[in-house]
Amino acid sequence: QTELVEAGKNYLLEKIRQARQELGHVSSLAFPGMSLANAPGFSNEDYFNLILTEQMDPGRFRSIAAGAWEFNEQQESELKRLAERILVIIGANQEDAYSFTGNYASARGLTQFTPMGMSVVWSSYPQTGIPRDFREATGQHLNAIKAEICLLDHDLAGLATSHSALIGSGMEMYAAGAAYNGGPKRVRYGLENFGLAWLHPVSRLAELDGRAMLSNLERKELLWLKRNRG
């Protein structure tokens, strides 16, 4: 199993490196004047972690995490095993891993892309070479990762237009990742009303919930975080 975990990790990181290299001629919308190959907002590990997040069992994750914002040794061990199961599948199946996986929201493939998200990528980044057939685009890992990179860049650019402090904050991946998974609308609302601190939502919720006195804005933020906990 250890060998399959390592094989899965190496396989994914190599695909991410290749995808970024092949997007070297595609301009970033979030970082004008730079290409998607070297835009600073996201590392290879960020793209890697988002893939694990998309394939992880959310119910099992929440059961292990139990709302904690600092994990104990047992929780860390269980979460590590949860991630390693995904890497074992990828290591054993390589290009076939998750190629045909779909969910209730019509998201497909390794990066769990929806038809709406792919339409955004096709229209905003036409020079990527990603096939115009949705099943083909999501079923091939390299194309799926290219689409992931593009959509994160697109969402970050949109969020930064209403909250310019996001760029250079070190929080770019958190905001774009939240938009990727839950839609830009809620993330934009959070940024416009509450700034950047909530992008570590569990710790921010615990911080606000533990205070004896809250301002009206902080109380509003706390209620919003509780409503959007999932």
Side-chain angles (χ1 to χ4, degrees):
Q1 179 169 325
T2 301
E3 291 180 358
L4 285 175
V5 168
E6 195 64 24
K9 181 178 180 181
N10 291 338
Y11 173 85
L12 269 188
L13 287 172
E14 179 54 37
K15 285 291 183 182
I16 291 166
R17 282 191 287 268
Q18 184 180 351
R20 294 190 80 173
Q21 183 178 13
E22 293 188 11
L23 291 173
H25 66 292
V26 180
S27 297
S28 166
L29 298 180
F31 300 93
M34 306 191 76
S35 80
L36 290 177
N38 53 23
F42 311 98
S43 67
N44 290 352
E45 288 72 23
D46 289 330
Y47 298 125
F48 174 88
N49 288 334
L50 186 60
I51 291 170
L52 292 187
T53 301
E54 290 298 315
Q55 294 299 340
M56 193 169 289
D57 178 348
R60 180 63 182 142
F61 176 86
R62 292 190 188 108
S63 174
I64 295 169
W69 66 278
E70 285 187 325
F71 299 135
N72 59 38
E73 189 174 331
Q74 181 180 346
Q75 286 172 310
E76 286 186 358
S77 178
E78 290 185 26
L79 289 170
K80 182 180 178 182
R81 285 199 297 272
L82 195 60
E84 285 179 344
R85 290 193 190 103
I86 300 167
L87 294 173
V88 166
I89 292 171
I90 294 171
N93 296 280
Q94 301 283 300
E95 192 68 44
D96 290 332
Y98 299 109
S99 289
F100 310 104
T101 303
N103 71 8
Y104 70 93
S106 301
R108 293 188 79 255
L110 181 71
T111 58
Q112 286 292 279
F113 238 78
T114 64
M116 182 180 296
M118 193 62 75
S119 294
V120 169
V121 171
W122 285 333
S123 62
S124 300
Y125 304 88
Q127 65 274 58
T128 60
I130 296 172
R132 290 288 177 137
D133 179 272
F134 179 67
R135 288 183 174 272
E136 184 180 356
T138 55
Q140 297 176 356
H141 289 174
L142 188 61
N143 287 320
I145 293 170
K146 285 181 182 179
E148 173 196 19
I149 293 170
C150 291
L151 189 59
L152 286 167
D153 179 75
H154 176 273
D155 286 348
L156 178 59
L159 294 170
T161 59
S162 58
H163 200 80
S164 59
L166 181 59
I167 301 297
S169 68
M171 305 287 272
E172 294 94 339
M173 180 58 198
Y174 296 108
Y180 187 102
N181 197 266
K185 185 177 180 180
R186 276 180 286 190
V187 179
R188 186 175 296 110
Y189 177 90
L191 291 171
E192 289 174 352
N193 287 276
F194 311 123
L196 295 171
W198 71 269
L199 286 170
H200 291 298
V202 179
S203 58
R204 179 62 173 169
L205 196 156
E207 176 194 348
L208 293 175
D209 214 16
R211 287 189 195 171
M213 298 289 290
L214 295 174
S215 68
N216 288 335
L217 182 60
E218 288 172 336
R219 192 174 297 109
K220 184 179 179 182
E221 181 183 357
L222 176 61
L223 291 173
W224 180 77
L225 283 169
K226 287 182 174 180
R227 280 199 307 271
N228 290 281
R229 185 190 296 266

